[in-house]
């Protein structure tokens, strides 16, 4: 392995390996930590890559510890990459009393405003620097990539897929923030990262990207009906309306009684991994729902 990447931990799971790694990020100007599950099939050939982006207050560890993805990823032969949600470190600017901004709340944007522009470059980190590292260090088939995420990470997955449709073969989300430019818990963060000109926010808003002509082949979203953030922060009906107008196929499942937690995510994780595996599949990879 590269001397720029360090192994923090490594454990066998479902015949594969769950690892946690760190590296010095040029993009974020600090050390970054991420998790990778490599399935047993990777001993024989490169495997497709599924990116999972986590939500506010999370790190790579939340889905790794509570997402329950390894059994199905091992069955389907999927590498699962879980980046952190923001830069971290003593020199990284933060608002420690604000869970909706700063460390743990990078919103997958490239900040343009001081003092955040030096470190908060999560869009470039997730789309450029970390994929290059994964391609170099792991048995990954980078011609077959998918992306999904939860909440803020669902927002990240949707916007990244819409701006990079040639790279990702599939995109899904759990309870995504579909229009962060008008949601109360994300507007202040976008203004601090990107400035007061709301025109610069459009590139990080899934509904506005669709309005501006960005397209993706199809989208899959699960949303709990008992999610406390549903009406004010998430509002999947806005994505539904935008996709309908643009002709983007959207499977939106409103899951009765489920909330915003990892109890919800872990319940439907297998469905999402099968969805991605089917769209990433070749004749030797497991199939999933069409």
């Amino acid at each position: 392995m590269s001397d720029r990447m360090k192994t923090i931990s490594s454990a066998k799971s479902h015949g594969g390996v769950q690892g946690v790694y760190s590296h010095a990020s040029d993009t974020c100007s600090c050390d970054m930590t991420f998790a990778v599950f490599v399935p047993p099939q990777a001993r024989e050939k490169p495997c497709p890559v599924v990116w999972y982006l986590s939500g506010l207050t999370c790190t790579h560890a939340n889905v790794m510890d509570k997402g329950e993805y390894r059994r199905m990823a091992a069955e389907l032969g999927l590498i699962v990459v879980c980046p952190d949600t923001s830069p971290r470190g003593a020199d990284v600017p933060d608002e420690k009393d604000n869970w909706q901004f700063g460390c743990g709340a990078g919103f997958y944007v490239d900040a343009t405003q001081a003092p955040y522009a030096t470190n908060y470059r999560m869009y470039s980190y997730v789309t450029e620097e970390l994929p290059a590292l994964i391609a170099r260090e792991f048995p990954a088939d980078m011609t077959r990539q998918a992306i999904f995420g939860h909440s803020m990470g669902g927002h990240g997955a949707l916007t990244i897929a819409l701006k990079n449709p040639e790279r990702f073969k599939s995109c899904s989300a759990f309870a995504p923030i579909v229009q962060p430019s008008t949601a109360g818990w994300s507007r202040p963060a976008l203004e601090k990262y990107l400035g007061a000109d709301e025109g610069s926010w459009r590139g990080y808003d899934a509904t506005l990207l669709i309005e501006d002509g960005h397209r993706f082949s199809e989208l899959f979203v699960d949303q709990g009906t008992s999610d406390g953030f549903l009406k004010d922060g998430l509002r999947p009906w806005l994505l539904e309306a935008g996709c309908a107008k643009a002709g983007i196929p959207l499977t939106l499942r409103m899951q009765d009684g489920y909330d915003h937690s990892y109890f919800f995510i872990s319940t439907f994780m297998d469905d999402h991994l099968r969805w991605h595996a089917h769209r990433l599949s070749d004749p030797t990879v497991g199939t999933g729902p069409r």
Side-chain angles (χ1 to χ4, degrees):
M1 288 191 176
S2 166
D3 59 5
R4 296 190 64 218
M5 189 179 82
K6 298 178 181 178
T7 300
I8 297 174
S9 66
S10 179
K12 187 173 182 178
S13 179
H14 296 282
V17 176
Q18 176 65 69
V20 178
Y21 310 92
S22 68
H23 72 115
S25 169
D26 295 330
T27 302
C28 296
S29 300
C30 64
D31 288 347
M32 296 292 289
T33 302
F34 61 98
V36 180
F37 175 72
V38 178
Q41 294 89 334
R43 292 193 291 268
E44 305 296 328
K45 62 178 182 178
C47 290
V49 178
V50 181
W51 296 83
Y52 179 90
L53 306 184
S54 289
L56 287 162
T57 76
C58 293
T59 70
H60 68 280
N62 294 74
V63 69
M64 185 179 74
D65 294 342
K66 297 181 288 188
E68 301 180 19
Y69 58 81
R70 278 172 290 273
R71 180 189 60 81
M72 185 54 63
E75 178 181 323
L76 297 170
L78 301 173
I79 292 174
V80 180
V81 181
C82 308
D84 201 348
T85 53
S86 72
R88 299 177 192 271
D91 297 328
V92 175
D94 190 18
E95 292 185 4
K96 296 186 183 301
D97 60 347
N98 183 0
W99 65 275
Q100 296 172 335
F101 184 75
C103 292
F107 277 93
Y108 304 98
V109 306
D110 280 351
T112 59
Q113 303 301 299
Y116 309 107
T118 298
N119 303 107
Y120 288 85
R121 304 187 66 241
M122 290 301 296
Y123 177 82
S124 290
Y125 178 71
V126 170
T127 61
E128 297 175 14
E129 186 177 29
L130 189 54
L133 183 65
I134 296 299
R136 186 172 71 243
E137 302 288 356
F138 296 91
D141 180 355
M142 302 302 282
T143 67
R144 293 187 289 157
Q145 296 184 66
I147 191 166
F148 70 145
H150 170 231
S151 192
M152 179 185 73
H155 138 76
L158 291 171
T159 57
I160 288 170
L162 284 164
K163 290 196 284 189
N164 299 274
E166 73 290 342
R167 178 182 300 185
F168 298 101
K169 294 185 179 298
S170 55
C171 174
S172 71
F174 299 104
I177 306 171
V178 305
Q179 195 175 86
S181 63
T182 62
W185 66 349
S186 47
R187 276 184 60 85
L190 293 184
E191 183 169 1
K192 291 174 185 177
Y193 288 137
L194 302 173
D197 178 6
E198 296 187 17
S200 66
W201 305 1
R202 298 183 72 88
Y204 299 107
D205 184 309
T207 61
L208 299 183
L209 283 167
I210 291 171
E211 187 177 298
D212 290 344
H214 291 265
R215 297 291 182 265
F216 199 75
S217 56
E218 57 181 329
L219 300 171
F220 173 29
V221 172
D222 271 325
Q223 170 66 62
T225 62
S226 295
D227 190 321
F229 303 111
L230 176 58
K231 293 182 179 179
D232 296 327
L234 306 174
R235 303 171 296 167
W237 47 86
L238 298 178
L239 179 66
E240 186 174 38
C243 286
K245 185 175 181 180
I248 299 174
L250 168 66
T251 300
L252 172 60
R253 305 194 306 186
M254 299 300 296
Q255 302 292 1
D256 187 48
Y258 284 90
D259 61 15
H260 201 67
S261 72
Y262 269 88
F263 297 114
F264 159 62
I265 296 167
S266 62
T267 299
F268 300 105
M269 179 63 77
D270 284 2
D271 289 354
H272 284 249
L273 291 175
R274 289 191 186 101
W275 163 274
H276 292 298
H278 176 71
R279 286 148 183 81
L280 294 167
S281 65
D282 66 18
T284 62
V285 176
T287 59
R290 289 170 170 77

